[in-house]
Amino acid sequence: MAFGYQILGFGSGAAGGGGPYIVACGGCQTTDGDYYIHKFEGDGTLTLTSAGTCRACCVGDNKMDYLIVAGGGGATASISGGGGGGGHRTSYPSPVACAPQITAVVQAYPITVGAGGVIGTGTPGTQTAGEDSVAVGITSAGGGVGAAGDGSPPEYYAASIGGSGGGHGHFGGSGGAGNTPPVTPPQGNPGGSSDGSGGGGGGASGSGGNATGGTYHSAGGPGGAGLANSITGSPVTRAGGGGGGGFNKQPGGSGGPGGGGTAGNGNEAGGGSGNPGTDYLGGGAGGGGNPGPAGGTGGIGVVFVRYRFQN
């Protein structure tokens, strides 16, 4: 649930007019030097009562930076691919090519924070993709599902597209496409292919790893790496992909840095379940090993908005 408070006292802007700086409330508000950062871990509203001004040389006291991470994709049981990390879109640090800052307007900006994809337990899997996150007119797409690892017909194995794509499940096939729908800079990467074990889910800065080593002796592919960002003042890596589930006593793939869940191992005597992606990092879920009872859930996304409040 979103929460926050309003900062007052910066000239006429505090009354909702044309003060020199942006004045806003909503979310959990912190500072980094001369900047406020609003963090949303759930749906809410960012309400601007002053839009600031563009001073000489266009310093940009009417500009807002953003980081918007969607929910990570879920994964299912029994040699599943890993869930894709949530889409990762940012304008920070400025300027980011093709991702300009937002010009502030006095209004209420609805914020939607994407939930992680639901865990899957059956064949075909009941796992779901992560949900989109939306803020200041920008949408980050939810991570794709890790494909079902066991079943018939073959389309049960197909991974889905997303901000980052899910990994393919069990016997051969390619992972789901990332950066879907396409944006510039890209919001994510594709999932990995399977070869006995499942492929890893894609991450914000790297593709999901492929399962390699032969049909009956392949380890699960690792999740793709997330992307580090310092919009809060300290670097944090987010939107990593989940690892692919292991087959035939082979290990499951590791979760990608940035909240990706580690997959379950393959073990004919009872394989492990996949681990969840990390909440508020938008990590993809780890796939279940064989015959693991379940995959993991995707991690919840997060939204940050940053702007100058003083010199």
Side-chain angles (χ1 to χ4, degrees), residues 7-133:
I7 303 299
L8 300 177
F10 295 109
S12 61
Y21 301 106
I22 294 169
V23 178
C25 64
C28 180
Q29 187 170 321
T30 59
T31 60
D32 176 35
D34 295 333
Y35 292 83
Y36 279 133
I37 303 100
H38 295 255
K39 178 181 181 181
F40 292 85
E41 294 183 341
D43 295 354
T45 304
L46 180 69
T47 302
L48 268 63
T49 54
S50 173
T53 59
C54 189
R55 295 184 288 125
C57 301
C58 208
V59 171
D61 292 333
N62 63 340
K63 302 293 184 181
M64 301 186 293
D65 278 301
Y66 60 86
L67 170 61
I68 304 168
V69 179
T76 191
S78 192
I79 331 169
S80 168
H88 184 291
R89 300 188 65 184
T90 187
S91 66
Y92 187 86
S94 300
V96 174
C98 305
Q101 295 171 296
I102 300 297
T103 300
V105 175
V106 174
Q107 67 174 62
Y109 292 88
I111 307 293
T112 300
V113 175
V118 174
I119 191 170
T121 57
T123 299
T126 54
Q127 77 280 24
T128 62
E131 295 182 351
D132 297 351
S133 289

Side-chain angles (χ1 to χ4, degrees), residues 247-294:
F247 176 56
N248 192 33
K249 302 185 180 180
Q250 301 302 309
S254 58
T262 298
N265 297 324
N267 183 340
E268 300 298 342
S273 295
N275 291 291
T278 303
D279 285 341
Y280 314 120
L281 297 182
N290 81 301

